[in-house]
Amino acid sequence: MGYPHIEHHGAKDGVTGSCHQLDMNATTSLLVDCGLFQGDDASIPSGEGGSRLPIDFPLDSIKALVVTHVHIDHVGRIPYLLAAGFAGPILCSEASAKLLPIVLEDAFKLSFSRDQQRIERYIDIVESRLVALPYQHWFTLVATDELSARIRLQRAGHILGSAYVEIDLNYPQAGQSKRIVFSGDLGAPHAPFLMPPQPPERADILVLESTYGDRLHEDRQTRRQRLEAVIEQALQDQGTVLIPAFSIGRTQELLYELEEIIHTKLAHPALPPVGASSLAKSNSTEQPPLSSEKRANSDHLPLPPGERAGVRGRETMPENGITSERAGLRSKEASPAISNDAEQPPLPLRERAGERGQKAAANHSPDQSTTNWPKLPIILDSPLASRFTAAYRELKPFWSQEARDRVQSGRRPLGFEQLITIDSHSDHQRIVNHLAQTARPAIVIAGGGMCSGGRIVNYLKAMLGDKRHNVLFVGYQAKGTPGYAIQTFGPKGGYVDLDGERFDIRAGINSIGGYSAHADQKGLVEFVTGMQQWPTEIRVVHGEQKAKQALATRFHELYPQHDRPPAAITTGGAGDATEQDVLHA
C-alpha cells in the first residue's frame, strides 16, 4: 500500500456519519471526525436495518482524532470510539473545545446512560483528552526519522469553532512530502457571528464536502427580509410558526436575525412589512439542482405567542396556566441556559392566553397584514440549544466584527426581551398544549433539526393536523428523516410517521433558502480555485450521489479551462473508474 492512504468510515455514500482515516504510514494514522449516521445513512446498506453505530475499524494505528466542528454528524460516534478503546488526544479549535463537551454529554445520555456520576466521569475523560489549537497554528503530531507530520486548523465558516484541516506529511528518507486538506463542512458567506473561510494556499489531496454540490443558495444577503416576509404571511393564518432547528449554529443565527427584525421595527415603527406576499412566495430551501427548473412554492403558514417559562425561579402565570419552574436544576443554582449574563432579558409583556378578540386584534392591523414584532414572543424550546446559546455568548472573541459591534452598541442579539426560554419538560408540554389549543401568534424554535427527535416532535404531533399552524424549514433535511417527509409531502397533503404513528399534514409548509450553513456549488468551487496550487486529487464526499457527481463534473470542466495540471476526482460512486482518468487540456 502506498502512503499516504485515506479510508472513509462514513460520509462516503451519504451526507452524514463523517469519519475519515489518514494512514500516514503502516503504523501511524489520524482520524478526522467520528460522526453519527442519520436518516437513510443510519442503516447498513443491504444490512436489513442493521445499525452503523459500532466502531468497525481497528484503532491500533490511530494516534489522534481531529474534530472539524461539533455537529452530531461529525462527532456523534465519539462515545462509541472511546468505548472501543481509543485513548489518544482529541484535537479541535479553541471554540470547539468549549462546545464539544456539551454535545458529547448529550450524545452519551442518548446512547449510554443518564446516570449523573457516569456522565461526569465520561465528560472528565473527554475534557482531559482535548487539545485546543488556535487557528493558523501548526501542531506537530509526529516527528521521527521516517515521518514528520503536523496539522493546522483554519476557519471554515460553518458554525462557531468550525475548521478545515491542513496536514503536512514529510518522508525524509524517501525525500517526499504531501499536503492533505480535509474540508470538514465549509460555510457560506454572510453568516452571523462568522467570518467566511479563506482557501488554503495549496493541497495535493483534498477531501471535499458536497452537501450542496449541485445547487446554488438563494441570496443570503436578503434572507432576513425573506424570513420576515414568510413569518408575516404565515401569521395571517392565525396560528403558530414552528421552526425545527439544530441546537448549535442554526438556532443562534435565527435568534440573531429575529433580533435584527425586532430592532428595525422598534427603530422604524411606521414602516410597513417588507413585501410580505411577494417575498414569501418566492422561497424554497435552496435553489434547486442546477440542471432543473425551480420547484413550485409550498403553502405558507402562521404562528402564536407564548410566555416566559422556565427562567425565573417559580413564577406562576395564572393567565394561561403556565408555571415557570427551574426544573432539573440543583437547589438554587442558576440555570446554565439562563445565567446572570448581562444579555439575559427580563420577562416580556404578556397578554392573556386564549383571548383572541380585542387582545388578538392588538397584535394585528385590521387587514391582518402586519405583525406587532416588538410584542411577538420568540420561544426557544430546547435545553441543549439554550446551553449552546449561553456558550456562544461566552465566545464573543470568536464572533465576527459585525456581531461584536452590535453588542458594543448595547444590543443583545442572543438575549433580547422577546426571547422566551423553555427549560423543564413540564413547561414544554404546557406550551405545546397551550399553543395547540389557542393558536396564538408566536414563533417556536424547537430542537430537532430533521424532526427525528427532540422537542419539535411533540409540537408536530399536536399541530401538523391544524391548517392554522405552519412549519418553516431553514436547514437541510436528509432523506429518510421525518423532516424530509414533511418538507416533500406536506405541500401535497401527505402524511408523516412520528414515533410509529401516522399524522396527516394540514399545516402550511415553508422552506427558506440562504440559511444553510454549508457552502453551495459556487462556494465549494471557489475553495479550490482560490488555491495557488490546485489539488491533483479531489475526493468528493459528504453528499448525495447526484450532488457529488455534479460537483465532480464542474471540476472536470474547470481544470482544462484554467490550464491546470491533470487531476483525479472520485465520488465513491460507480463512475469513479472514469473519474480517475487524467483530465486533458
Side-chain angles (χ1 to χ4, degrees), residues 1-15:
M1 178 188 298
Y3 295 101
H5 174 75
I6 299 174
E7 302 174 72
H8 303 286
H9 304 304
K12 179 182 179 181
D13 53 1
V15 182

Side-chain angles (χ1 to χ4, degrees), residues 189-192 219-228 253 257 512-516:
H190 311 298
D219 181 7
R220 293 173 61 88
Q221 293 179 316
T222 61
R223 70 183 190 177
R224 182 185 65 78
Q225 289 87 346
R226 296 198 306 276
L227 176 67
E228 176 185 346
E253 288 192 13
E257 298 209 325
I512 294 183
Y515 275 90
S516 173

Side-chain angles (χ1 to χ4, degrees), residues 135-429:
Y135 289 121
Q136 301 180 337
H137 170 77
W138 282 108
F139 175 83
T140 299
L141 187 64
V142 179
T144 67
D145 292 340
E146 182 186 352
L147 172 66
S148 172
R150 59 179 188 159
I151 74 169
R152 180 169 66 178
L153 303 183
Q154 301 277 27
R155 295 179 186 271
H158 178 60
I159 63 170
L160 203 64
S162 60
Y164 65 83
V165 185
E166 295 181 284
I167 304 166
D168 261 356
L169 299 181
N170 287 284
Y171 301 90
Q173 295 175 352
Q176 296 179 345
S177 64
K178 287 284 185 180
R179 170 74 61 87
I180 299 101
V181 174
F182 290 83
S183 73
D185 286 355
L186 296 174
H190 311 298
F193 306 109
L194 305 174
M195 288 172 273
Q198 298 296 321
E201 294 179 1
R202 65 183 182 89
D204 296 304
I205 303 171
L206 171 64
V207 179
L208 180 65
E209 71 119 323
S210 60
T211 310
Y212 289 104
D214 62 341
R215 62 194 67 196
L216 301 176
H217 293 329
E218 295 181 42
D219 181 7
R220 293 173 61 88
Q221 293 179 316
T222 61
R223 70 183 190 177
R224 182 185 65 78
Q225 289 87 346
R226 296 198 306 276
L227 176 67
E228 176 185 346
V230 168
I231 291 174
E232 291 275 10
Q233 181 163 333
L235 288 173
Q236 295 179 32
D237 293 342
Q238 295 296 292
T240 301
V241 173
L242 304 176
I243 306 179
F246 294 105
S247 297
I248 181 168
R250 195 66 45 78
T251 290
Q252 290 74 35
E253 288 192 13
L254 283 168
L255 294 179
Y256 186 94
E257 298 209 325
L258 289 168
E259 187 273 344
E260 172 66 14
I261 295 172
I262 294 169
H263 176 79
T264 303
K265 296 296 184 182
L266 288 170
H268 306 286
L271 288 179
V274 183
S277 60
S278 60
L279 277 174
K281 291 179 180 178
S282 65
N283 292 315
S284 59
T285 311
E286 299 296 334
Q287 293 287 0
L290 299 178
S291 59
S292 64
E293 298 180 357
K294 291 185 177 181
R295 282 173 278 184
N297 291 315
S298 58
D299 295 332
H300 299 291
L301 45 151
L303 38 125
E307 277 62 39
R308 188 162 204 72
V311 296
R312 284 194 167 187
R314 293 183 56 86
E315 181 173 10
T316 301
M317 301 177 184
E319 307 99 303
N320 56 17
I322 297 175
T323 302
S324 174
E325 52 185 319
R326 295 159 61 185
L329 303 184
R330 302 172 186 170
S331 63
K332 294 184 179 180
E333 68 180 320
S335 164
I338 307 300
S339 67
N340 293 324
D341 191 295
E343 291 187 2
Q344 182 55 42
L347 288 174
L349 296 174
R350 302 192 298 273
E351 52 181 278
R352 294 181 62 84
E355 294 184 6
R356 301 185 60 84
Q358 294 181 350
K359 290 284 187 179
N363 243 14
H364 299 278
S365 66
D367 63 359
Q368 297 182 351
S369 61
T370 60
T371 300
N372 190 342
W373 281 90
K375 291 187 178 181
L376 180 68
I378 313 297
I379 300 170
L380 176 58
D381 193 351
S382 168
L384 188 60
S386 296
R387 291 184 66 187
F388 282 127
T389 301
Y392 259 58
R393 291 202 295 265
E394 296 174 8
L395 291 167
K396 289 189 187 77
F398 297 95
W399 291 15
S400 66
Q401 189 61 51
E402 176 199 38
R404 282 181 279 144
D405 288 345
R406 188 172 291 192
V407 174
Q408 284 295 109
S409 71
R411 291 167 61 181
R412 301 175 298 182
L414 295 180
F416 48 95
E417 184 176 355
Q418 295 78 8
L419 180 61
I420 300 167
T421 302
I422 307 300
D423 183 13
S424 73
H425 181 75
S426 59
D427 283 339
H428 157 70
Q429 198 59 59

